[in-house]
Amino acid sequence: MSEIILDSQAFQNAVKKVAGDIFKDNKNISELAIVGVHNKGVCIAKRILSELAKLANVGEASINFGTLDITLYRDDLDDFGADMPVIKDTEIPFDISQKKIILVDDVLYTGRTVRASLDVLMDFGRPKSIQLAVLVDRGHRELPIEAGYAGIRRVIDGKVKVECKEIEGEDKVFVL
Amino acid sequence: MSLNRKDLLGLEHLDKKDLQTVLDSVKPFKSLFTRSVKKAPTLIGKTVVTLFYEPSTRTRTSFEIAAKRLSADVVNIAVNASSVVKGESLIDTGKTLEAMKADYIIIRHSLAGAPDILARNLNASIINAGDGFHEHPTQGLLDLYTMYEKKKKIEGLKVLLVGDILHSRVAKSNIWALTKMGAQVAVAGPPTLMPSKIEELGVKVYYNLDEAIKEADVVNILRIQLERQQENLFPSVHEYVELYQLTKDRLAKAKPNVLIMHPGPMNRGIEISSEVADSPNAVINEQVTNGIAVRMAVLYLLKPNKARKYASSN
């Protein structure tokens, strides 16, 4: 049995809420950069980018956008068996210095992915600030990391799964 | 994503899927090179030992940089200044290094099979950095990756290896990898430097370079080991230069976009002319850059110590 946390409409509303909150705090879009964490964070980040572009009345291409993969920065690589995680491309095609980075992931859980993401970003340069935006903040933190922006915040037990229209054909968040 | 093994002893034992896994893994490591911080913490706390029984600058340095870019601690052992000169056996040297908690041992040895002996006796990951006339797998992989990067495919590619095929571990690793990936491999060189029954590996043999070069998409020039000249394996360096040096005139007979590769170090004016080595077709320096990224990928994909639980060594 799986419990739906966000259906398609609620999913889109959550993305809009996050984008709206980001825009409220960051009117100067030119110093902003949206960076999605592979895999689903990239999908959510693209949605937020699209909403932000609408709110600021600019083309999507005029907002800095990047993707990052944390595999090489994971603290649990020794725990993998012979099968190592597939490394995706990290693409930060802009100078990170002096940018306000909005780091985007789908779910905030232990905080370890975010910790690794911060390490990756710092190795690209010295951003002005980094803020965290997630679709779902599900609690159970193991590190002192909090999201500035979240679609929903709710303590959830079990495995949270996010599906995106672009990948699975439907927007959905559910608990397995 | 896995090579499903703890050691990399040669390319003969890798299947097409393994080779594709390496090709697919390299790009993220190469992209690290363009950042202000060219390192990732992937191998933090791991120890990599280079154990070279033969001299080498580029391979040893390439491995050292690869390991350091993944944040490993690196120890280089120059065998001439080690206990080996006091008569210590290879296995004892390996066990001593393992007792010092080496996670990876990268070995170059003049005898084929030396890395295999270490692999069978140690839990550390053993990487063959060249063993006798046998194999030089990471050079084979970086050659494969450079072709893949430049030509966007391996299958159907016509690759010509030129020179001393008999004594070349690079040639053997290239032949194993390229034929498995569906390339059409040809070799060209003097009959005295051609292994007998080489056709059985699925390659076409030429003794005339002018004829062989016409069809090639890639020409990989091997270093002529001048010390072989003492063994009378070819009549004279002058004659070799006349018949087998890749010159500007010979290059003119090849396809315009032919890739010129060389594993280094080059003997300019012997197997390759300076004009060709510096021509736009040459990707020799890119091979060196790719060598670091490929070796990083190999270090990432192999699993030392615990790997014995899941996979045999070859």
Side-chain angles (χ1 to χ4, degrees):
Chain A
M1 274 302 278
S2 65
E3 182 205 348
I4 303 280
I5 305 284
L6 297 175
D7 62 14
S8 174
Q9 188 58 53
F11 187 114
Q12 286 170 52
N13 291 343
V15 169
K16 277 187 183 163
K17 174 186 180 297
V18 171
D21 289 348
I22 292 170
F23 188 63
K24 205 159 45 179
D25 295 343
N26 301 278
K27 288 287 188 308
N28 184 1
I29 287 284
S30 65
E31 66 173 4
L32 215 57
I34 310 296
V35 176
V37 183
H38 280 296
N39 294 326
K40 292 292 165 63
V42 173
C43 173
I44 308 294
K46 282 182 182 161
R47 300 286 191 86
I48 290 173
L49 175 80
S50 168
E51 292 297 328
L52 274 177
K54 280 185 221 160
L55 290 169
N57 201 22
V58 296
E60 287 183 19
S62 57
I63 303 175
N64 293 301
F65 184 79
T67 61
L68 63 85
D69 180 272
I70 60 139
T71 307
L72 296 174
Y73 287 71
R74 292 178 76 120
D75 58 10
D76 59 350
L77 283 173
D78 272 352
D79 300 336
F80 280 84
D83 222 3
M84 296 297 280
V86 175
I87 310 166
K88 305 254 183 354
D89 287 339
T90 293
E91 289 178 352
I92 308 286
F94 51 86
D95 180 6
I96 207 165
S97 310
Q98 296 308 309
K99 294 284 186 307
K100 285 184 170 178
I101 308 280
I102 307 290
L103 181 68
V104 181
D105 206 355
D106 55 346
V107 178
L108 176 58
Y109 179 30
T110 62
R112 289 176 193 273
T113 301
V114 176
R115 189 226 31 106
S117 303
L118 295 174
D119 287 346
V120 182
L121 282 172
M122 294 300 191
D123 281 352
F124 274 88
R126 191 174 187 278
K128 193 170 186 179
S129 65
I130 303 175
Q131 302 171 72
L132 177 62
V134 296
L135 188 67
V136 181
D137 176 354
R138 56 161 294 185
H140 299 287
R141 214 78 75 241
E142 291 172 6
L143 297 174
I145 283 168
E146 296 305 328
Y149 308 101
I152 59 161
R153 296 180 199 268
R154 192 175 124 191
V155 176
I156 301 168
D157 297 319
K159 190 174 165 54
V160 175
K161 193 149 173 16
V162 173
E163 292 189 349
C164 280
K165 201 160 55 185
E166 296 84 343
I167 302 165
E168 285 90 0
E170 191 185 4
D171 289 337
K172 192 165 60 171
V173 180
F174 55 100
V175 181
L176 284 172
Chain B
M1 173 177 274
S2 170
L3 284 178
N4 199 27
R5 64 192 59 234
K6 82 170 182 72
D7 310 302
L8 180 63
L9 304 176
L11 301 186
E12 185 181 356
H13 302 294
L14 297 196
D15 59 23
K16 190 174 175 178
K17 185 173 152 283
D18 292 331
L19 294 165
Q20 191 63 48
T21 296
V22 177
L23 292 182
D24 292 342
S25 308
V26 178
K27 199 175 152 207
F29 291 100
K30 198 173 173 185
S31 71
L32 281 179
F33 298 3
T34 57
R35 298 179 356 188
S36 56
V37 178
K38 297 176 182 60
K39 283 173 84 106
T42 318
L43 294 185
I44 199 158
K46 298 279 187 280
T47 303
V48 175
V49 177
T50 65
L51 179 63
F52 275 52
Y53 287 79
E54 281 186 342
S56 161
T57 305
R58 75 182 57 215
T59 304
R60 194 192 55 70
T61 308
S62 179
F63 270 113
E64 183 174 350
I65 292 173
K68 283 182 170 168
R69 288 203 176 147
L70 292 177
S71 306
D73 297 314
V74 184
V75 180
N76 296 310
I77 297 183
V79 166
N80 291 342
S82 76
S83 290
V84 173
V85 294
K86 298 179 190 168
E88 187 175 59
S89 75
L90 178 62
I91 293 174
D92 282 342
T93 301
K95 288 197 167 165
T96 303
L97 296 174
E98 191 162 77
M100 292 173 179
K101 307 299 173 201
D103 297 287
Y104 298 82
I105 298 174
I106 295 155
I107 177 173
R108 169 167 287 191
H109 203 287
S110 57
L111 294 178
D116 187 53
I117 291 170
L118 279 190
R120 285 170 197 276
N121 286 280
L122 303 178
N123 288 316
S125 273
I126 308 300
I127 301 176
N128 178 4
D131 61 333
F133 305 149
H134 178 222
E135 282 223 44
H136 190 351
T138 53
Q139 180 71 45
L141 290 171
L142 78 89
D143 289 345
L144 190 72
Y145 182 75
T146 306
M147 293 176 210
Y148 186 64
E149 186 183 49
K150 293 285 170 190
K151 297 287 188 184
K152 312 291 177 212
K153 61 167 189 175
I154 297 292
E155 193 161 2
L157 216 55
K158 292 181 175 170
V159 182
L160 175 67
L161 298 159
V162 182
D164 182 355
I165 311 296
L166 181 64
H167 299 102
S168 174
R169 49 200 179 201
V170 175
K172 273 137 206 140
S173 290
N174 264 258
I175 291 168
W176 287 120
L178 287 164
T179 51
K180 263 183 268 199
M181 294 300 286
Q184 295 175 41
V185 183
V187 292
T192 47
L193 295 177
M194 201 60 76
S196 63
K197 299 183 182 169
I198 179 101
E199 297 89 344
E200 289 176 8
L201 295 180
V203 304
K204 200 170 173 184
V205 181
Y206 289 93
Y207 298 110
N208 182 329
L209 180 56
D210 295 275
E211 195 186 317
I213 203 168
K214 286 181 206 158
E215 292 292 310
D217 297 304
V218 179
V219 181
N220 199 352
I221 315 278
L222 304 169
R223 185 174 73 89
I224 277 297
Q225 297 165 21
L226 293 169
E227 58 274 20
R228 303 274 165 231
Q229 168 64 6
Q230 314 296 326
E231 299 171 19
N232 298 320
L233 284 169
F234 50 91
S236 72
V237 171
H238 177 72
E239 189 181 272
Y240 186 87
V241 167
E242 283 294 307
L243 295 174
Y244 295 105
Q245 184 187 94
L246 188 59
T247 59
K248 199 178 161 195
D249 288 345
R250 285 207 167 95
L251 186 62
K253 292 173 187 162
K255 292 179 184 172
N257 60 349
V258 66
L259 282 191
I260 306 300
M261 299 173 68
H262 191 300
M266 284 187 283
N267 296 307
R268 285 175 183 258
I270 297 183
E271 68 265 9
I272 188 166
S273 75
S274 259
E275 279 171 313
V276 172
D278 299 329
S279 71
N281 296 67
V283 291
I284 297 161
N285 289 330
E286 280 149 289
Q287 284 174 267
V288 177
T289 304
N290 286 341
I292 295 172
V294 164
R295 290 179 173 112
M296 289 167 83
V298 167
L299 287 167
Y300 172 76
L301 291 167
L302 294 177
K303 291 294 278 185
N305 300 323
K306 293 190 293 183
R308 283 210 159 177
K309 287 183 206 159
Y310 348 99
S312 65
S313 60
N314 51 29

